[in-house]
């Protein structure tokens, strides 16, 4: 008998946990459970559709699904189809890799208005997540306020700012692609509540904002007269100094030189939203769409003996995809140490009706084939039933 581990959440932290476990104990039986019929979590639904290089990590994860003993179990929702306690009873260890998928709230008046979107909902729509098929109506959207100074804010601003040609090699869903291409966009503001020396952008992502075909990045040079906090550790200081250098290059750009103006606005915190405008601590800004990119909350992580959390479910919503590798590998070591102390259980198979790896491979093949016809990496299928039908060979 071999130990069996259930990993709940087939996103990056879940796959890296599986990878870590197999490196330490080849032959272990691992079930990677996800509520969607498709694996890869944030890589599929959260990474911006034009960042295909980042999404390429999915190929490594696909290879893990080919390993003997590893099973994908999609379309299984813990809390609906089975309980955490069922998993704890049936498996020798349970790893919670459910990420963070709830948009944080600013807690200011007007946040519930329909023109205010959270980034999770917005990016999931771009990415064809089957639960988020309806996006904002962009038909009359000229001015967009993007709240937050992290890489998600850059993702949102960039995908809105890019031309249809620049998105042609992405896997953005057709509805979102068409809506953005036909929106009468003129201005996008990326708004930070603190100064540029505190922004959490990373250099490559910020620099990319200066190379957009139809949008010119702009910033008031007066807002860049700042110093990076001396108390920051060196890598942080270097990252922030690079950000400020890049922003200074944007300050030299010519307003009006491209059809869309992409403004970086600092030291401006949102106070209230009213239809068509955002009240900031620095004044009122006209905006037809607001996307808040201020981080995510998650479900409460279940606790108990033999239950381990990884990734954003454990650490909170920080760090890039590779950050999860070391993190999940470290937790995998703890799991193996736990298993060593125990004899394997003989639990029931709770997952016999799930979408398996072969089902996912059918979806993958069909999406890639549809994409090839359009010169795209894939065309995502965003309809639950269609995904299930294809997985079942329909
Ligand atoms: P983040 O980097 O933590 O940024 C969140 C931003 O929201 C911060 O600027 C924060 O400002 C702001 N914020 C929080 N509460 C606010 C409030 N009440 N009012 C106004 N602003 C508020 O998080 P993220 O952008 O969601 O990204 C999550 C993680 O994924 C990050 O580690 C990021 O680097 C990573 N990621 C990476 C990529 C990439 O590599 N291409 C792409 C996307 C995401 P304060 O600093 O003032 O709190």
């Amino acid at each position: 008998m071999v130990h069996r581990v259930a990993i709940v959440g087939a996103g990056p932290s879940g796959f890296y946990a599986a990878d870590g476990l197999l490196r330490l104990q080849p032959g272990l039986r691992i079930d990677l459970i996800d509520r969607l019929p498709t694996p890869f979590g944030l890589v599929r639904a959260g990474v911006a559709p034009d960042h295909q290089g980042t999404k390429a990590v999915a190929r490594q994860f696909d290879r893990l699904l080919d390993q003997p003993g590893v099973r994908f179990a999609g379309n299984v929702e813990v809390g609906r189809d089975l309980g955490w306690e069922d998993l704890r009873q049936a498996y020798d260890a349970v790893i919670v890799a459910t990420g963070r998928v709830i948009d944080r709230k600013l807690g200011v008046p007007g946040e519930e208005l329909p023109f205010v979107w959270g980034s999770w909902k917005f990016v999931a729509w771009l990415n064809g997540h089957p639960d988020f098929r309806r996006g904002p109506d962009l038909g009359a959207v000229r001015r967009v306020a993007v709240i937050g100074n992290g890489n998600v804010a850059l993702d949102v601003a960039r995908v809105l700012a890019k031309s249809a040609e620049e998105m042609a090699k992405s896997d953005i869903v057709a509805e979102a692609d068409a809506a953005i291409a036909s929106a009468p966009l003129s201005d996008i503001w990326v708004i930070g509540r603190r100064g540029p020396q505190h922004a959490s952008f990373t250099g490559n992502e910020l620099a990319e904002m200066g190379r957009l075909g139809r949008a010119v990045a702009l910033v008031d040079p007066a807002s860049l007269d700042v110093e990076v906090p001396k108390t920051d550790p060196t890598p942080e200081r270097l990252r922030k100094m690079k950000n400020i250098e890049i922003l200074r290059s944007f300050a030299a750009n010519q307003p009006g030189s491209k059809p869309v103006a992409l403004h970086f606005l600092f030291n401006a915190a949102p106070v209230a939203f009213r239809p068509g405008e955002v009240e900031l601590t620095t004044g009122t800004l006209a905006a037809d769409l607001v996307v808040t990119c201020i981080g995510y909350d998650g479900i409460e992580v279940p606790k108990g003996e033999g239950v381990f959390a990884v990734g954003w479910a454990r650490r909170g919503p920080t760090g890039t995809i590779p950050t999860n590798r070391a993190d999940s590998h470290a937790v995998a070591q703890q799991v193996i140490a736990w298993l060593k102390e125990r004899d394997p259980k003989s639990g029931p198979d709770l997952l016999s009706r799930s979408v398996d790896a072969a089902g996912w491979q059918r979806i993958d093949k069909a999406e890639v084939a549809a994409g090839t016809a359009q010169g795209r990496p894939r065309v995502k299928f965003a309809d639950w039933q269609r995904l299930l039908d294809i997985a079942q060979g329909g």
Side-chain angles (χ1 to χ4, degrees):
M1 284 249 292
V2 253
H3 286 113
R4 291 166 65 232
V5 178
I7 300 179
V8 181
S13 67
F15 270 95
Y16 282 130
D19 178 54
L21 290 171
L22 288 174
R23 280 166 195 269
L24 293 164
Q25 195 171 316
L28 196 69
R29 287 177 60 196
I30 299 173
D31 287 342
L32 264 156
I33 300 169
D34 205 286
R35 61 181 290 276
L36 291 179
T38 51
F40 311 145
L42 195 79
V43 174
R44 184 171 163 100
V47 171
D50 60 330
H51 273 183
Q52 289 296 315
T54 309
K55 285 185 191 264
V57 70
R59 283 190 224 121
Q60 285 177 36
F61 299 157
D62 252 333
R63 283 197 291 276
L64 270 174
L65 290 181
D66 290 336
Q67 298 260 337
V70 178
R71 192 161 66 144
F72 173 62
N75 194 35
V76 176
E77 185 170 337
V78 180
R80 180 192 67 183
D81 303 315
L82 45 82
W84 289 103
E85 196 46 36
D86 300 326
L87 290 173
R88 236 164 57 81
Q89 296 294 333
Y91 289 86
D92 299 297
V94 177
I95 298 182
V96 184
T98 45
R100 302 251 171 163
V101 296
I102 303 162
D103 282 304
R104 261 190 203 148
K105 292 283 180 201
L106 283 161
V108 304
E111 200 169 5
E112 70 293 342
L113 288 168
F115 83 120
V116 182
W117 281 66
S119 58
W120 174 257
K121 232 167 72 169
F122 185 79
V123 175
W125 170 60
L126 303 175
N127 269 321
H129 188 301
D131 286 343
F132 299 91
R133 302 210 45 207
R134 199 183 59 81
D137 180 357
L138 300 181
V141 169
R142 291 199 297 120
R143 295 150 305 193
V144 184
V146 179
I147 311 287
N149 265 186
N151 283 333
V152 171
L154 296 183
D155 281 347
V156 167
R158 187 186 66 254
V159 171
L160 285 167
K162 275 190 170 178
S163 64
E165 294 72 45
E166 287 172 301
M167 292 301 288
K169 298 271 183 275
S170 77
D171 64 358
I172 189 170
V173 286
E175 305 90 294
D177 198 28
I180 294 170
S182 59
L185 284 167
S186 62
D187 295 88
I188 300 168
W189 280 270
V190 176
I191 302 170
R193 64 175 167 179
R194 298 193 286 161
Q197 72 278 33
H198 300 295
S200 53
F201 310 138
T202 46
N204 287 344
E205 283 63 29
L206 184 59
E208 197 182 349
M209 307 305 269
R211 299 191 298 266
L212 302 176
R214 68 162 182 168
V216 56
L218 302 169
V219 60
D220 177 358
S223 68
L224 304 179
D225 193 10
V226 292
E227 293 235 343
V228 171
K230 290 197 171 49
T231 47
D232 278 4
T234 306
E236 270 297 275
R237 278 177 59 78
L238 293 176
R239 180 184 65 76
K240 290 176 172 180
M241 280 157 67
K242 184 76 189 158
N243 278 350
I244 292 166
E245 186 189 316
I246 296 166
L247 287 163
R248 289 204 174 114
S249 74
F250 294 170
N253 285 342
Q254 202 56 41
S257 56
K258 292 181 185 174
V260 177
L262 176 57
H263 314 263
F264 285 84
L265 182 60
F266 295 102
N267 300 304
V271 177
F273 300 105
R274 289 180 292 273
E277 61 183 37
V278 182
E279 191 185 326
L280 299 165
T281 44
T282 49
T284 301
L285 188 74
D288 313 301
L289 171 70
V290 176
V291 186
T292 60
C293 307
I294 59 161
Y296 308 106
D297 289 323
I299 57 162
E300 200 178 323
V301 174
K303 299 208 167 37
E305 291 221 316
V307 181
F308 303 79
V310 290
W312 280 9
R314 190 178 77 78
R315 305 192 309 276
T318 59
T320 58
I321 288 165
T323 314
N324 288 299
R325 190 171 183 275
D327 184 88
S328 290
H329 281 189
V331 174
Q333 281 191 349
Q334 295 170 22
V335 176
I336 296 294
W338 160 268
L339 295 176
K340 280 213 170 98
E341 303 292 313
R342 277 151 191 89
D343 292 330
K345 289 179 189 165
S346 56
D349 183 5
L350 304 171
L351 306 170
S352 52
R353 298 208 332 272
S354 60
V355 170
D356 60 9
W360 152 242
Q361 278 147 13
R362 280 191 278 273
I363 295 172
D364 187 38
K365 208 167 148 203
E367 287 189 342
V368 171
T372 305
Q374 297 183 19
R376 291 182 181 274
R378 68 177 60 239
V379 169
K380 294 240 189 85
F381 302 140
D383 180 75
W384 268 101
Q385 196 52 51
R386 187 172 185 201
L387 287 164
L388 293 176
D389 289 346
I390 297 172
Q392 278 147 21

